[in-house]
Amino acid sequence: MSAPAQAVVIEGPGEHRLAAHEPVAPAAGEALVRVHASGICGSDREVYQGNRPEGYVRYPLTPGHEWSGTVEAVGPGVPEGLVGRKVVGEGFRNCQVCDRCHEGETTLCTAGYEETGFTQPGAMATTLTLPARLLHILPEDADLTAAALLEPAACIAAAALKANARPGERVAVVGTGTLGMFAVQFLKAGSPSELLVVGTRPDREELSKTFGATDFRTRDQELPDDFDVVIETAGSASAATTAASLLRRGGRLVLTGIPAPGAVGLDPTDLVVRQLEVHTVFGAPPEAWAHTVRVFGAGLLDPLPLVTHELPLDEFAHAIELVGSGDPKVGKVLLRP
């Protein structure tokens, strides 16, 4: 006898419950996915604590924007061949008709912000129903636990595509969390001559080198200033400044972290005089998702070493505590419906 369908529901800041879950039959253009696992990140803590910016959350809410699963049913207009396939899915519920969407920049959709797990029901539930156009099909032998981390990986894939690191270039990553470790793997896949990781956690040196880093330094050590490409993932107040300082003149910088208000800004004079090329990333457009799934399928991306905890849905509160604990032994936390 299968377990009853359940879902985490956050009623408002600091208030949550485990509720009975009724799968939503897919309408035209939709698919119903049985969730295998859902990851927790800092933005989920923001939703629970109530400090996510206005307009970027809608209560009551089932959270969960990082997930993997298997298609159980499809609505009219969706290929039946999707049923039974392992999938991951984009979070941004873009309109598909504005100029930005037509250009593939769906995270910049002008129709307003809507995202799975923040303003639309998320994957911390037994099933998830969403537009089938957002799905990305995984190889049949894909590990769904590893695949639950492909959403943060896709955000870094967007950064890697913008960085456009060429074989033989000297590249660096600032930040040693989940995003930083994905950045190392994406940059390694491009065959750099050097791959430096800069962070505040010496305990991440071994993992960084396992993923392909050739050097690891903390910010209080002497740092170079002649790298071609730097991807910043730390999101701390000084991370952008540290990242820019690593670059040669004409180097390329991609910022992905969102620091708290009051962070140290980049010096415009320095940017102009050194002719630095600066890009930013918020979320992942379809191109980055497709790139992530290809790289994952090719065996060049290994998310599993980043997973340290797998918990049932009824331990949501404990999972949130773990993510915010600051304990270096806590990596990626997954909830398993």
Side-chain angles (χ1 to χ4, degrees):
M1 185 175 176
S2 60
Q6 296 178 313
V8 173
V9 178
I10 300 177
E11 297 286 0
E15 300 177 41
H16 84 282
R17 61 187 173 91
L18 195 63
H21 172 71
E22 189 66 38
V24 177
E30 292 184 333
L32 170 68
V33 175
R34 179 159 295 275
V35 177
H36 174 83
S38 180
I40 295 181
C41 86
S43 54
D44 295 306
R45 288 189 71 239
E46 289 179 351
V47 170
Y48 186 58
Q49 294 172 339
N51 49 17
R52 188 158 172 86
E54 186 178 354
Y56 287 85
V57 64
R58 190 179 301 132
Y59 300 104
L61 172 72
T62 292
H65 61 287
E66 306 176 2
W67 58 270
S68 63
T70 304
V71 177
E72 280 209 339
V74 295
V78 179
E80 286 287 341
L82 271 179
V83 176
R85 297 304 302 268
K86 295 176 179 179
V87 292
V88 289
E90 299 174 34
F92 284 81
R93 303 290 187 95
N94 42 80
C95 76
Q96 291 292 291
V97 294
C98 71
D99 287 346
R100 299 288 78 75
C101 283
H102 282 310
E103 290 176 350
E105 294 287 355
T106 52
T107 61
L108 301 176
C109 176
T110 59
Y113 173 80
E114 293 287 344
E115 186 175 4
T116 299
F118 297 107
T119 63
Q120 298 288 334
M124 291 184 194
T126 306
T127 68
L128 172 66
T129 301
L130 74 167
R133 61 181 170 79
L134 299 178
L135 297 178
H136 289 261
I137 300 171
L138 300 170
E140 290 186 3
D141 62 351
D143 184 319
L144 283 176
T145 300
L149 276 68
L150 292 187
E151 191 277 340
C155 296
I156 295 303
L161 290 171
K162 287 191 175 185
N164 191 29
R166 294 180 280 272
E169 287 195 309
R170 303 175 73 219
V171 302
V173 174
V174 173
T176 56
T178 299
L179 298 182
M181 294 301 96
F182 279 134
V184 172
Q185 295 183 65
F186 276 109
L187 289 173
K188 174 64 177 176
S191 301
S193 61
E194 294 180 52
L195 205 177
L196 168 68
V197 175
V198 178
T200 58
R201 290 178 52 184
D203 62 293
R204 296 295 257 189
E205 179 173 2
E206 183 179 350
L207 188 59
S208 297
K209 291 185 174 178
T210 298
F211 287 142
T214 58
D215 192 9
F216 182 97
R217 303 189 195 184
T218 54
R219 293 189 198 178
D220 54 358
Q221 293 177 290
E222 184 178 352
L223 298 176
D225 61 1
D226 55 355
F227 273 58
D228 300 296
V229 169
V230 178
I231 295 179
E232 176 277 323
T233 68
S236 60
S238 60
T241 304
T242 299
S245 74
L246 296 170
L247 287 166
R248 63 165 172 83
R249 295 189 72 196
R252 307 189 294 285
L253 172 63
V254 186
L255 304 175
T256 72
I258 303 177
V264 179
L266 296 175
D267 178 357
T269 300
D270 180 58
L271 297 181
V272 173
V273 170
R274 292 207 288 142
Q275 296 184 61
L276 299 183
E277 189 178 312
V278 181
H279 296 272
T280 60
V281 166
F282 177 65
E287 179 188 21
W289 273 96
H291 182 56
T292 302
V293 171
R294 277 195 304 270
V295 173
F296 177 64
L300 298 172
L301 196 64
D302 184 12
L304 269 184
L306 301 172
V307 178
T308 58
H309 295 75
E310 297 180 57
L311 303 171
L313 287 180
D314 61 8
E315 291 195 42
F316 170 76
H318 177 46
I320 289 287
E321 284 178 17
L322 284 171
V323 171
S325 68
D327 184 342
K329 293 186 177 66
V330 177
K332 199 65 188 178
V333 178
L334 302 181
L335 289 181
R336 296 285 299 271

